[in-house]
Amino acid sequence: ADIETLDLKTLTLNPLLGNALRLRETLPTSAINKIEIKENNEPLVDIKEDAALFLSESLQAQPNVYLRQSVYARLKKAQTLLPENYFLKICSAFRSLKEQEYRWAQKLGQNRREHPNMSAPELEHLTKSQVADPRTGFGGHQTGGAVDVTLCRSDGTEYDMGTGYSALSPEIKTSSKKILLTQRKNREILKMCMEKAGFINYPNEWWHYCYGDRMWAAYSKRKTCFYGLPEKER
């Protein structure tokens, strides 16, 4: 079936349609970081004023929300592939290295207060499971090629995806079988539309999609990618 013709009844009756929830082995960080970057210097664009895209409350509070130009275009394409009354809601887009360092320090401090008996290595291990460690390099969000996204209705209320965005539980895996059929269906809708627009999903987080960065290249079995740090970050 073509994604343009899919309806909710079809998806409910056939939850594995299009291999939307096919199992994929999660690649190690070392394999992703080996991808060679051949930066194409594509600019970041501000998507804040695009009324067709819903933004989370945290992004609405920011003066600007940036993504690479082609990532933005592919988001627009994905939006056109969604069923009626389904819309994309962006939860996180480009994050500067400075912002990532702040997030890391904030979460590490919180964990230190909540787990006073943990050793320093244990605290770092816990924090790494929650926030990308900026000391080991940069991730997809720092390139402008990664976006965290969910689905919402025309009034902005979010569909049930099985867990909240950025939750910490086994159920955040895209192919989790420990969620309800309706929740799996919503993940399928998001995944099929995003993949048809050219994105790759990170299997350990149902909300994380990327294009052009090292993760996208690694999961696409490419040897090079074309998004590294944007010019203003280099």
Side-chain angles (χ1 to χ4, degrees), residues 4-5 29 59 82 88 90 96 98 109 124 132 136 147 150-152 154 162 165 182 193 206 208 214 223:
E4 286 88 343
T5 65
T29 302
L59 290 188
L82 287 169
L88 297 177
I90 313 305
S96 68
K98 184 176 181 180
E124 287 201 0
T136 60
V147 59
T150 187
L151 295 173
C152 69
S154 59
Y165 159 66
T182 54
C193 293
W206 60 259
H208 186 98
R214 287 183 297 194
K223 295 182 179 180

Side-chain angles (χ1 to χ4, degrees), residues 10 12 40 47 71 76 80 89 126 146 151 158 168 170 172 182 196 206 213 219 233:
T10 303
T12 301
N40 67 0
I47 69 171
V71 176
K76 299 284 285 183
T80 68
K89 177 181 280 191
L126 174 62
L151 295 173
E158 296 178 12
L168 293 174
I172 68 174
T182 54
K196 192 171 181 69
W206 60 259
D213 65 0
Y219 279 95
E233 290 284 293

Side-chain angles (χ1 to χ4, degrees), residues 11-29:
L11 286 167
T12 301
L13 293 175
N14 192 353
L16 295 180
L17 185 62
N19 293 322
L21 290 178
R22 62 184 181 278
L23 294 176
R24 292 184 295 180
E25 182 181 358
T26 302
L27 296 174
T29 302

Side-chain angles (χ1 to χ4, degrees), residues 5-145:
T5 65
L6 290 176
D7 57 25
L8 304 188
K9 181 179 179 181
T10 303
L11 286 167
T12 301
L13 293 175
N14 192 353
L16 295 180
L17 185 62
N19 293 322
L21 290 178
R22 62 184 181 278
L23 294 176
R24 292 184 295 180
E25 182 181 358
T26 302
L27 296 174
T29 302
S30 58
I32 295 173
N33 289 341
K34 287 180 181 178
I35 298 294
E36 181 183 1
I37 300 171
K38 295 185 176 180
E39 176 62 51
N40 67 0
N41 293 310
E42 186 178 283
L44 292 169
V45 294
D46 188 0
I47 69 171
K48 180 72 181 295
E49 301 305 321
D50 188 338
L53 293 176
F54 287 83
L55 300 177
S56 65
E57 290 186 8
S58 62
L59 290 188
Q60 290 177 30
Q62 297 181 13
N64 307 100
V65 179
Y66 292 109
L67 284 172
R68 293 279 189 150
Q69 193 170 46
S70 292
V71 176
Y72 174 44
R74 289 172 185 276
L75 274 180
K76 299 284 285 183
K77 174 64 175 178
Q79 179 67 71
T80 68
L81 302 176
L82 287 169
E84 185 178 359
N85 201 30
Y86 275 75
F87 299 87
L88 297 177
K89 177 181 280 191
I90 313 305
C91 300
S92 185
F94 169 73
R95 292 200 297 263
S96 68
L97 281 172
K98 184 176 181 180
E99 181 182 355
Q100 191 65 28
E101 289 166 356
Y102 172 78
R103 286 181 175 224
W104 168 265
Q106 187 180 48
K107 181 58 69 172
L108 182 62
Q110 178 184 338
N111 286 335
R112 187 177 290 115
R113 292 189 299 272
E114 294 178 355
H115 306 281
N117 296 324
M118 274 192 176
S119 66
E122 289 174 330
L123 284 169
E124 287 201 0
H125 181 75
L126 174 62
T127 306
K128 285 180 180 179
S129 71
Q130 302 164 326
V131 179
D133 185 353
R135 302 170 303 175
T136 60
F138 58 88
H141 284 289
Q142 282 73 64
T143 72

